[in-house]
Amino acid sequence: MSLKGVLLDVDGTLVNSNDAHAQAWVEAFKKFAYDISFEEVRPLIGMGGDKVISLLVPGLTDSKGVGKEISSFRQQLIINQYGTKLSPTPGARQLLLKMLSEGLELIVASSAKSDELSVLLKSGGIDDLLPQATTSSDVDNSKPEPDIVQAALDKINLPPEQVLMLGDTPYDIEAASRAGINVIALRCGGFSDSQLEGAGAIYDDPAQLLEQYETSALSR
């Protein structure tokens, strides 16, 4: 069955934002007197923020109390400070244009909240190419739960076997796999090949995937 659609992660996949997200978490925790290091946070980027908080400080939740304040402060750092200074990953826009020219339906499937996502897409210079999105604002459970992926699949109304996901973290791979979707992984998000195990293929970045487009799963 031929490929009809591609689900797209954004952070680390299309926009160089993973380090910025980790730094924003460090600052947000510090503001509320929690000493969390960059090295502790960075491996968790790609999960939903609700999961990051409870993993780093058991007992905290992003839905109430100090955890909610931390989450809100981090979000404002991304929207007003870090998110406006980001760059696209190499070849991101060109790859999107190629996929669109091939008639593929594209939709964002991101753990970011919707108001963060608009900043990230604009910063990456790709907001005009991706009008459709599902985010953590749309579902109860964020990555690595499959809810965001499933919601994207429902929105474009395609069966899993006609869709691929493009991502950069183990959490993208797990979420997509649990929804029955194959994944192309990119190293530009900062994860190792062993951490990206389970992907159907791994490329350095969108530019390399574009170079090898005709031999990739995108051209099937």
Side-chain angles (χ1 to χ4, degrees):
M1 197 172 287
S2 62
L3 187 69
K4 302 289 188 185
V6 179
L7 311 186
L8 297 156
D9 174 63
V10 172
D11 288 306
T13 300
L14 300 174
V15 181
N16 277 314
S17 53
N18 286 352
D19 285 355
H21 278 293
Q23 190 57 46
W25 276 116
V26 171
E27 287 191 34
F29 276 111
K30 185 176 181 180
K31 179 176 173 64
F32 293 90
Y34 290 95
D35 185 18
I36 301 292
S37 71
F38 180 90
E39 290 72 24
E40 287 177 278
V41 183
R42 186 58 176 81
L44 305 180
I45 299 303
M47 286 188 179
D50 54 326
K51 292 182 170 60
V52 172
I53 282 186
S54 59
L55 280 170
L56 291 171
V57 184
L60 285 189
T61 168
D62 73 337
S63 62
K64 62 182 180 181
V66 175
K68 185 175 182 178
E69 292 183 66
I70 291 170
S71 180
S72 178
F73 185 70
R74 178 214 61 82
Q75 188 176 349
Q76 292 310 307
L77 284 174
I78 293 295
I79 292 171
N80 300 316
Q81 185 176 330
Y82 287 111
T84 59
K85 302 171 184 175
L86 299 171
S87 60
T89 54
R93 183 175 179 86
Q94 294 87 341
L95 178 62
L96 293 176
L97 287 169
K98 173 66 173 175
M99 291 191 289
L100 287 169
S101 74
E102 294 292 321
L104 293 173
E105 186 155 7
L106 307 183
I107 184 169
V108 170
S110 170
S111 282
K113 294 185 184 296
S114 54
D115 45 2
E116 288 179 62
L117 180 65
S118 61
V119 172
L120 295 166
L121 293 176
K122 186 175 182 180
S123 203
I126 53 175
D127 52 321
D128 59 317
L129 302 180
L130 297 170
Q132 292 194 95
T134 54
T135 68
S136 61
S137 307
D138 298 317
V139 297
D140 292 331
N141 299 300
S142 60
K143 294 176 189 173
E145 302 297 326
D147 301 37
I148 291 168
V149 175
Q150 188 60 56
L153 205 57
D154 292 344
K155 190 172 282 191
I156 60 174
N157 195 30
L158 289 172
E161 60 270 20
Q162 291 186 340
V163 176
L164 277 175
M165 180 160 183
L166 192 60
D168 69 298
T169 75
Y171 317 114
D172 294 320
I173 295 169
E174 182 178 344
S177 297
R178 289 170 66 180
I181 296 173
N182 292 323
V183 184
I184 293 177
L186 302 177
R187 300 183 181 99
C188 50
F191 289 86
S192 68
D193 284 16
S194 61
Q195 291 172 304
L196 298 174
E197 187 177 354
I202 305 175
Y203 297 86
D204 288 341
D205 50 32
Q208 188 185 47
L209 177 53
L210 181 58
E211 286 173 10
Q212 300 180 30
Y213 192 94
E214 299 308 324
T215 59
S216 76
L218 291 173
S219 67
R220 71 183 188 193

